[in-house]
Amino acid sequence: MELEQDSNLTLPLFILDETLSTRDLAQPDVEISVILSDELLTQLCQNPSADSSIGISITDYELNVINSSFSSVVQSEHDAQLTLTQGPLLSAVVTTVGELTFVSPQVDMMPTFDLGDEAE
C-alpha cells in the first residue's frame, strides 16, 4: 500500500472477539478513514525495531459502519490509533467507551514522497 500526503487511508475494522481468526476479510464490521496530513505521514515514516511497535493516536478520522449491528459505535465515544510494526506494517485499532475493540489486519505500507524532481 502506498501512502501519499493528503490522500485518504481507509482500513477495514473487525470486532475483536473469539471469531476474529475465522472472519472473511471482505466483510468488515466498520471502516476507518483518515486523511494523511503532512504531520501524520511524518509519524508513519518511523521505523520500529523488530520487537516493538509504535502507536500513533489519531483524532481526525471517520468511521463508516458496514455491519448494521455496530451502528451505535459511530454515535458513542471512541478512540483510534494507528500502529506501526517492523516491515513496515500498518494497522488500526478503535476502542469504544463500552469496551468494544475493533482491529484491522496489518497491511504492508510504503510512504511516497514528492522529491520535487518533476520535469519543468
Side-chain angles (χ1 to χ4, degrees):
M1 164 188 297
E2 287 189 15
L3 303 179
E4 295 181 34
Q5 184 175 341
D6 299 324
S7 66
N8 189 32
L9 170 67
T10 301
L11 295 171
L13 295 169
F14 299 87
I15 187 77
L16 181 60
D17 65 11
E18 63 279 350
T19 66
L20 183 63
S21 63
T22 61
R23 296 288 306 272
D24 179 357
L25 294 180
Q27 297 180 343
D29 297 314
V30 181
E31 286 181 336
I32 186 168
S33 294
V34 60
I35 299 294
L36 295 171
S37 66
D38 183 42
E39 180 183 331
L40 180 56
L41 200 55
T42 299
Q43 292 179 3
L44 290 174
C45 289
Q46 299 177 74
N47 188 17
S49 61
D51 57 349
S52 69
S53 64
I54 297 171
I56 302 165
S57 292
I58 53 175
T59 55
D60 191 14
Y61 62 91
E62 243 182 70
L63 291 181
N64 304 308
V65 175
I66 308 298
N67 181 339
S68 61
S69 62
F70 293 106
S71 59
S72 64
V73 170
V74 175
Q75 285 82 31
S76 68
E77 269 189 63
H78 43 76
D79 294 310
Q81 176 177 303
L82 296 176
T83 304
L84 281 173
T85 54
Q86 190 174 42
L89 298 173
L90 177 67
S91 62
V93 177
V94 173
T95 307
T96 69
V97 171
E99 305 287 325
L100 293 177
T101 301
F102 295 86
V103 296
S104 74
Q106 290 185 321
V107 292
D108 288 319
M109 64 127 210
M110 183 57 62
T112 301
F113 301 98
D114 179 4
L115 301 176
D117 41 334
E118 293 180 20
E120 308 225 358

